Amino acid sequence: MNVNEAMKLLKEKGYKHTDKREDMLHLFALEKRYLSAKDVLERLQNEYPGMSFDTIYRNLSLFADLNILEETELDGEKRFRFSCSISKHHHHLICLECGKTKHIDSCPMDSIRQQFPDFEVTGHKFEIYGKCQECVTIN
């Protein structure tokens, strides 16, 4: 997903084009990592001094509902990032220091399905948390 695709999808779904929405999406395009609503507020506060936390959260939830953003929870806080452009099923390694992610192409569900063939899986999420090589080196 990129900003143009996201704005086009919003328009197709009947949502208004606003500078705030576009600037939020540009922020996610630049960061390439999971961001909290607080991160977004801090980054856009100078340009939109009156923007509320609720406005940000509503837009983040909308973007997640439309699959523009992926959502995860880190340290009890929802975080968001652009949905992956990889259409193939995959999971992520997530650095807890800088928030960067890497793709994991294999899925642990393959072995679980073999172990429990009578269990109907309706969905799953698999993420591994730690520190990337750059953050380990810095600390």
Side-chain angles (χ1 to χ4, degrees):
M1 183 69 62
N2 64 41
V3 175
N4 291 335
E5 292 169 338
M7 293 307 294
K8 182 179 175 189
L9 179 61
L10 285 165
K11 183 178 178 181
E12 288 170 359
K13 297 292 183 179
Y15 293 96
K16 287 192 300 184
H17 176 280
T18 67
D19 290 340
K20 287 178 188 175
R21 285 182 176 152
E22 188 170 355
D23 287 346
M24 287 175 72
L25 293 170
H26 278 290
L27 175 60
F28 282 97
L30 290 172
E31 287 292 329
K32 307 250 188 251
R33 64 184 179 99
Y34 283 98
L35 299 172
S36 68
K38 181 182 174 191
D39 295 330
V40 174
L41 181 62
E42 287 173 0
R43 292 291 298 275
L44 297 179
Q45 210 163 16
N46 289 339
E47 188 152 344
Y48 302 103
M51 186 161 54
S52 71
F53 191 76
D54 287 343
T55 297
I56 290 170
Y57 217 87
R58 265 194 315 277
N59 279 291
L60 292 174
S61 294
L62 170 64
F63 297 159
D65 289 345
L66 295 176
N67 295 316
I68 292 170
L69 298 180
E70 294 176 1
E71 181 181 327
T72 195
E73 190 171 315
L74 297 171
D75 298 325
E77 185 177 23
K78 284 187 181 184
R79 300 195 187 211
F80 304 85
R81 66 170 249 155
F82 257 129
S83 290
C84 292
S85 56
I86 296 173
S87 58
K88 178 177 119 176
H89 181 76
H90 66 281
H91 297 283
H92 295 118
L93 293 168
I94 302 171
C95 179
L96 294 173
E97 292 291 319
C98 68
K100 291 180 186 172
T101 64
K102 293 200 180 227
H103 296 106
I104 304 170
D105 292 325
S106 60
C107 179
M109 288 304 296
D110 297 338
S111 65
I112 291 172
R113 283 190 184 105
Q114 291 173 358
Q115 291 176 31
F116 304 99
D118 296 338
F119 187 80
E120 180 184 344
V121 176
T122 58
H124 71 278
K125 184 176 184 175
F126 182 73
E127 298 172 333
I128 298 175
Y129 308 102
K131 290 183 181 181
C132 69
Q133 184 176 0
E134 291 149 12
C135 290
V136 169
T137 305
I138 292 170
N139 296 321

